[in-house]
Amino acid sequence: MIPRARIYFLVDTLEYLRRGGRIGGAAALVGTILQVKPILTFRDGRVDQFEKERTKRRALARIIELVRNESARGADAHLTVMHTGAQAEADAQTLAGELKAALGTDEVLLMSLVPAIVTHAGPGALAVGFFTPR
């Protein structure tokens, strides 16, 4: 299952990536001014940048597109939308609804991210986990 697992996530602010040393201060400043929202993923057990989008709306639309292109459909679509608590829960519910419609599935699990992840991602982070088809 590990080769089929995918997780894409985005952060609401670059501040926590800067504090964790994942990006520099200048990159965080410019990214904040330009409303850059990196889409991050896990590769070989490490967090890597997948793409960058301008604005949160575009980043969410891109994540939906990625999931639609890579995920199984219908009853085989096992999706989880994760969020960093009350601040992102409404966005997570909206994202889950859009993914249900796009993939024709009845269930998308919603869950809070664990504090260890929240420390690095910050408030407002969203993630989608799923499996690719066989």
Side-chain angles (χ1 to χ4, degrees):
M1 295 297 287
I2 291 173
R4 295 179 43 219
R6 301 286 185 276
I7 297 177
Y8 293 108
F9 60 101
L10 67 103
V11 295
D12 197 43
T13 175
L14 300 175
E15 178 62 21
Y16 293 85
L17 295 177
R18 183 194 64 76
R19 286 183 188 178
R22 297 206 181 270
I23 62 173
L29 177 63
V30 171
T32 299
I33 291 169
L34 296 177
Q35 297 183 28
V36 172
K37 299 294 181 189
I39 297 174
L40 306 169
T41 189
F42 286 105
R43 287 192 189 133
D44 301 321
R46 298 184 62 201
V47 174
D48 279 338
Q49 180 177 292
F50 181 76
E51 292 179 358
K52 291 180 192 174
E53 291 289 336
R54 296 264 327 262
T55 76
K56 185 175 184 176
R57 183 181 55 79
R58 287 183 183 171
L60 285 170
R62 179 64 177 137
I63 287 177
I64 291 168
E65 179 184 0
L66 289 167
V67 175
R68 190 178 320 130
N69 291 338
E70 296 178 21
S71 177
R73 302 259 192 267
D76 292 334
H78 301 288
L79 292 135
T80 303
V81 174
M82 299 158 275
H83 59 87
T84 56
Q87 183 176 348
E89 190 169 2
D91 288 338
Q93 290 174 347
T94 301
L95 179 58
E98 291 181 29
L99 290 171
K100 282 180 189 179
L103 299 174
T105 186
D106 294 331
E107 185 178 353
V108 173
L109 182 64
L110 281 173
M111 60 187 290
S112 295
L113 288 165
V114 297
I117 302 293
V118 177
T119 300
H120 297 285
L126 292 169
V128 178
F130 60 95
F131 294 100
T132 61
R134 292 191 166 106

